[in-house]
């Protein structure tokens, strides 16, 4: 009985009644400061499905891309879904969202300015002006206008590019638009050197066949890809990256090859004084000698020699499958003719 009387007394106290009547709601207690962001709001009709938001999100499980089912009238929309339980309201997803209006909105940006936004992508897309034919299909296919024409060149604006790869799919010229991996730079250099040296040696080993090649014929040979691939994977254990790198190298690589037929040499020594790297020397004991390690493949000796001692060839490369279904590097060598024009 005494406890009941105590509760009635407490309830009747003026101070308690005032606190009860003036109690704040949960929203008022939890009201966020101005510098905090809201949970991201999704406007799925603007989404282009690039995945930049999922790549930028630092909270596991906070955001994922989903796709609605297709209907008879239209394809299903692709858009992000926010996991509120995992979201930390950092706003990175809204920062990197490239659409205008933005697919994701979560309050005012207090930290990052748009011109300094960096997308966490593994590949950087660039246009090889040497191979580009100015068809502008990449420019038209870019969903965020990150590709532009400037001074008769097609360029990718890296501050806008989201790495979606639509430009690469639209380009009709193999190798003109490249997705370059921005990690493992030193290892990529090692693989490039490995491939160039292996191909150069393979061609050097066929010098005797090249010397017999008529000036109006083309010399073709194959180099097994599996050997290079195994060595490259020991440097970078990522098969997709290695194959992508090897294709880029062979698409772009043009190699100068110099052959040397000592039997035709009359020791006139015109080439000795003309060689810019000192690769060609003369002595009474040995006569005229060429050192392949010092040779720049500049073709000066080829243009100077009146007896045809030096042969000059241009080699091109392509990764393909041979008649047995094996992956090989197809090597095509074409004799050069004076005047030397590239």
């Amino acid at each position: 009985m005494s406890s009941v009387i105590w509760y009635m007394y407490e309830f009747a106290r003026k101070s308690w009644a005032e606190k009860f009547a003036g109690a704040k709601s949960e929203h008022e207690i939890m009201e966020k400061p101005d510098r905090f962001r809201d949970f991201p709001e999704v406007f799925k009709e603007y989404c282009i499905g690039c995945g930049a938001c999922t790549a930028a999100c630092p909270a596991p499980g906070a955001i994922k891309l989903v796709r609605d089912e297709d209907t008879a009238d239209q394809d299903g929309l692709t858009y992000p879904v926010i996991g509120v339980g995992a979201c930390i309201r950092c706003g990175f997803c809204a920062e990197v969202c490239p659409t205008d209006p933005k697919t994701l909105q979560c309050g005012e940006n207090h930290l990052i300015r748009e011109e300094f936004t960096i997308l966490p992508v593994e590949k950087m897309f660039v246009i090889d002006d040497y191979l580009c034919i100015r068809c502008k299909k990449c420019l038209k296919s870019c969903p965020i206008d990150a590709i532009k024409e400037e001074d008769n060149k097609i360029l990718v604006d890296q501050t806008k590019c989201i790495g979606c790869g639509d430009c690469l799919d639209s380009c009709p010229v193999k190798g003109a638009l490249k997705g370059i991996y921005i990690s493992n730079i030193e290892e990529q250099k090692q693989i490039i050197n490995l491939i160039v040296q292996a191909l150069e040696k393979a061609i050097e080993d066929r010098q005797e066949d090249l010397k017999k090649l008529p000036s109006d014929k083309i010399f073709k040979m194959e180099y097994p890809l599996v050997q290079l691939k195994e060595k490259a994977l020991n440097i970078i254990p990522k098969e997709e990256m290695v194959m992508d790198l090897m294709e880029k190298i062979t698409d772009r690589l043009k190699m100068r090859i110099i052959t040397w037929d000592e039997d035709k040499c009359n020791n006139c020594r015109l080439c000795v004084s003309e060689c810019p790297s000192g690769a060609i020397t003369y002595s009474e004991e040995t006569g005229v000698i060429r050192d392949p390690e010092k040779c720049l493949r500049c073709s000066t000796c080829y243009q100077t020699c009146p007896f045809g001692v030096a042969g000059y060839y241009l080699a091109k490369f392509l990764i393909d499958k041979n008649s047995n279904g094996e992956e090989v590097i197809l090597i095509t060598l074409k004799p050069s003719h004076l005047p030397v024009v590239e």
Side-chain angles (χ1 to χ4, degrees), residues 242-258:
V242 165
M243 286 303 300
D244 188 60
L245 181 60
M246 295 179 83
E247 285 192 11
K248 288 183 177 64
I249 295 168
T250 51
D251 287 344
R252 190 69 166 81
L253 181 62
K254 283 188 177 181
M255 191 179 292
R256 297 171 174 180
I257 303 297
I258 298 291

Side-chain angles (χ1 to χ4, degrees), residues 189-204 228 249-250 253-255 257 317 329:
K189 290 180 181 178
Q190 292 179 40
I191 292 177
I192 292 172
N193 288 332
L194 171 72
I195 294 172
V196 172
Q197 290 172 11
L199 293 176
E200 189 171 33
K201 185 179 184 307
I203 296 172
E204 291 282 350
L228 282 176
I249 295 168
T250 51
L253 181 62
K254 283 188 177 181
M255 191 179 292
I257 303 297
F317 309 87
I329 298 177

Side-chain angles (χ1 to χ4, degrees), residues 130-338:
Y130 181 80
L131 299 174
C132 178
I133 60 172
R134 315 291 194 275
C135 67
K136 301 181 184 178
K137 289 184 178 180
C138 59
L139 192 150
K140 297 173 184 176
S141 69
C142 182
I144 58 162
D145 299 326
I147 302 177
K148 59 185 178 180
E149 184 177 12
E150 189 174 295
D151 297 330
N152 198 33
K153 291 183 179 181
I154 310 298
L155 305 171
V156 179
D157 186 344
Q158 300 300 335
T159 64
K160 293 182 178 179
C161 179
I162 57 175
C164 64
D166 288 356
C167 54
L168 189 63
D169 295 334
S170 67
C171 182
V173 180
K174 185 180 179 184
L177 218 156
K178 295 177 171 63
I180 299 174
Y181 287 92
I182 58 178
S183 59
N184 304 101
I185 299 298
E186 292 303 317
E187 290 82 358
Q188 290 187 62
K189 290 180 181 178
Q190 292 179 40
I191 292 177
I192 292 172
N193 288 332
L194 171 72
I195 294 172
V196 172
Q197 290 172 11
L199 293 176
E200 189 171 33
K201 185 179 184 307
I203 296 172
E204 291 282 350
D205 291 342
R206 300 291 298 272
Q207 283 223 13
E208 293 305 316
D209 295 325
L210 283 175
K211 291 175 184 177
K212 301 173 185 176
L213 183 70
S215 59
D216 59 343
K217 299 295 182 181
I218 293 177
F219 185 81
K220 295 182 178 180
M221 57 182 288
E222 298 177 358
Y223 189 90
L225 188 66
V226 64
Q227 300 174 15
L228 282 176
K229 189 174 177 181
E230 288 177 359
K231 293 178 180 178
L233 286 172
N234 289 330
I235 300 172
I236 301 179
K238 299 178 182 178
E239 185 168 354
E240 181 182 356
M241 181 185 291
V242 165
M243 286 303 300
D244 188 60
L245 181 60
M246 295 179 83
E247 285 192 11
K248 288 183 177 64
I249 295 168
T250 51
D251 287 344
R252 190 69 166 81
L253 181 62
K254 283 188 177 181
M255 191 179 292
R256 297 171 174 180
I257 303 297
I258 298 291
T259 58
W260 195 260
D261 193 342
E262 295 178 355
D263 295 336
K264 294 181 179 180
C265 183
N266 289 318
N267 291 317
C268 68
R269 288 174 273 176
L270 290 174
C271 58
V272 175
S273 58
E274 292 294 331
C275 180
S277 65
I280 305 175
T281 57
Y282 170 80
S283 69
E284 293 184 0
E285 294 78 15
T286 60
V288 175
I289 294 179
R290 168 181 171 264
D291 184 352
E293 297 298 322
K294 293 182 179 180
C295 181
L296 301 175
R297 279 72 172 170
C298 65
S299 81
T300 301
C301 56
Y302 166 73
Q303 298 181 63
T304 303
C305 179
F307 305 109
V309 175
Y312 181 50
Y313 303 83
L314 295 176
K316 295 183 179 181
F317 309 87
L318 176 68
I319 293 179
D320 204 347
K321 291 185 177 180
N322 61 15
S323 56
N324 298 323
E326 300 167 332
E327 284 188 311
V328 296
I329 298 177
L330 300 177
I331 305 173
T332 303
L333 291 108
K334 182 179 180 180
S336 182
H337 304 284
L338 287 174

Side-chain angles (χ1 to χ4, degrees), residues 102-114:
K102 284 186 177 289
T103 303
L104 290 151
Q105 298 179 21
C106 58
E108 186 180 353
N109 172 11
H110 298 277
L111 300 174
I112 303 175
R113 290 164 56 188
E114 185 175 347

